[in-house]
Amino acid sequence: MTYDRSVSAGDPPPPIPGARLLFSLDAAIAYLNHGAFGAVPIGVQRAQRRLRDEAERNPMAFFRAPALTDRIVHTRRHLAQFLGADPEGSALVPNTTAGVSLVLQSVRLRPGDEVLLTDHGYGANALATRRQCRRDGATARTVALPVDAGDDEVVARIRGALRPGRTRLLVVDQITSPTAKVLPVREIATAARAHDIPVLVDAAHVPGMLPVDVDRIGADFWVGNLHKWGYAPRGTALLVVAPPWRRRMEPLVVSWEQDAGFPLNVEFQGTLDYTSWLAAPTGLFTLRTLGVEAVRRHNAALAAYGQRVVGAALGLAPADLPDPGAAEASMRVLPLPSGIGTTYAEAHAVRQRIADKLATEVAVNAWGGRGWLRLSAQVYNQAEEYESLAQHLPALLNDLR
């Protein structure tokens, strides 16, 4: 099948001038999977390198208290302000999954308790939840949400799945990883709060992609990565905790700031490489320099264009293309042909084949008994990369039948 530009259903957005030159990605690879590990701008890489050089010139001076902890606090305040979060109730953590594990440990489940998940949740967080439940004698339960469910249906299904007196924690994604669906977390938190059920929001993809005011969501816990859409070095995330829980938060590893309490007892971990955190404000500076709203509009429009182009090449009608539910969503999914990528191992193999044969990095996930292709869009991407994928993907998938 040959890609026909006439089926693209609209023009792609114009590129942001000079944005592609800010990244060191291999020009021979179409990197359409920013949502996986992000991509660090060159200026941010250099900022982190300078910090590492500083540490190696005199490690004692770099790690000495209170100089290092003061720098950590300053960075935390900067990131929290960007996200609309209380800096005193926020802690820097390595990634969202680390923050989720920290919350699961600190909630202190008891035998008979349950943690409620959705079937759109990130796999590693589901594993962490089940492990903690096994340790504490609790159970993990999953509520199913249709991929095309609107906000009202999502809230109604989750509300109906809550078991007051038994559900000890609700874990919900703000942007789902396998289905790129934006969930109405503020309304979900309100529904759970009516039954005094704490809510943990996995917001791994939110910082930088969506406008957010964390404190207004009303969740008990919220954690998001800055190293995806916020241009920070990898290993940078912010965990935000509501006031009633802060004194109960315990780090996964105890170090010298334990007596300081949350958040420093979580943040200070001895000889951890703190340079990713300290360089994170440079990432936000890069985002602001490009224009936060301009970047969001560009990325969302390009992701939608890519979804339409590739979907048309696979014979999908517009109605078959899931709507992420937010205008700024910079990830889009589309279903693969029946029987392709329906298990974790098969999805991984399809993704690797696309990378090897088409020099294109995408995400492929198995969800709901079907394989799903997830496309991301970032300022370094071009419309031609999606068009090339559309031209060559059908033949590759036909070979897998």
Side-chain angles (χ1 to χ4, degrees), residues 172-238:
V172 64
D173 296 56
Q174 191 163 357
I175 304 177
T176 66
S177 179
T179 55
K181 186 175 180 65
V182 180
L183 299 183
V185 291
R186 186 175 181 182
E187 291 78 6
I188 292 170
T190 299
R193 191 164 53 248
H195 300 290
D196 295 322
I197 295 172
V199 178
L200 165 58
V201 175
D202 174 350
H205 292 277
V206 171
M209 186 198 292
L210 299 185
V212 63
D213 190 338
V214 174
D215 286 347
R216 291 177 62 85
I217 291 173
D220 299 83
F221 313 98
W222 183 100
V223 58
N225 292 325
L226 275 295
H227 56 242
K228 291 180 184 283
W229 307 91
Y231 296 158
R234 294 175 195 89
T236 306
L238 196 72

Side-chain angles (χ1 to χ4, degrees), residues 3-149:
Y3 167 66
D4 179 0
R5 191 179 181 107
S6 66
V7 301
S8 65
D11 293 327
I16 295 178
R20 190 175 178 86
L21 300 176
L22 299 178
F23 297 83
S24 55
L25 291 164
D26 187 345
I29 304 295
Y31 197 75
L32 309 183
N33 194 14
H34 188 89
F37 299 104
V40 184
I42 295 170
V44 182
Q45 295 178 39
R46 291 172 176 167
Q48 185 179 19
R49 193 174 303 122
R50 288 192 296 270
L51 287 161
R52 284 178 170 157
D53 290 344
E54 176 191 343
E56 296 311 320
R57 281 195 299 271
N58 188 338
M60 282 297 297
F62 184 84
F63 285 95
R64 184 178 295 131
L68 177 57
T69 52
D70 286 347
R71 294 172 82 171
I72 292 171
V73 170
H74 175 77
T75 298
R76 182 213 310 151
R77 290 182 179 278
H78 188 99
L79 303 185
Q81 182 181 30
F82 176 75
L83 297 170
D86 177 7
E88 303 308 313
S90 304
L92 289 160
V93 292
N95 51 44
T96 296
T97 49
V100 168
S101 287
L102 194 150
V103 171
L104 289 169
Q105 170 189 273
S106 300
V107 166
R108 299 175 189 171
L109 300 169
R110 301 180 299 267
D113 288 343
E114 72 170 20
V115 178
L116 183 63
L117 310 165
T118 80
D119 61 346
H120 293 252
Y122 186 57
N125 289 337
L127 291 172
T129 299
R130 294 188 179 100
R131 185 186 72 168
Q132 192 67 45
C133 286
R134 285 195 303 270
R135 289 176 171 179
D136 296 336
T139 59
R141 190 164 56 89
T142 301
V143 56
L145 304 176
V147 71
D148 59 351

Side-chain angles (χ1 to χ4, degrees), residues 165-176:
R166 184 172 180 184
T167 304
R168 179 65 170 159
L169 181 68
L170 168 62
V171 182
V172 64
D173 296 56
Q174 191 163 357
I175 304 177
T176 66

Side-chain angles (χ1 to χ4, degrees), residues 306-387:
Q307 183 192 43
R308 293 194 302 268
V309 167
V310 177
L314 296 180
L316 297 170
D320 299 323
L321 304 176
D323 182 348
E328 301 89 353
S330 303
M331 298 190 301
R332 297 290 181 112
V333 297
L334 54 155
L336 292 174
S338 179
I340 295 179
T342 58
T343 68
Y344 176 86
E346 290 174 359
H348 177 79
V350 173
R351 181 198 63 76
Q352 191 60 51
R353 189 172 180 85
I354 293 171
D356 294 341
K357 298 297 183 181
L358 305 185
T360 301
E361 294 289 352
V362 297
V364 180
N365 295 301
W367 183 86
R370 186 161 193 172
W372 296 81
L373 178 72
R374 191 188 74 188
L375 300 173
S376 298
Q378 189 48 266
V379 295
Y380 51 74
N381 289 127
Q382 298 176 328
E384 291 80 4
E385 295 172 316
Y386 303 90
E387 294 165 2

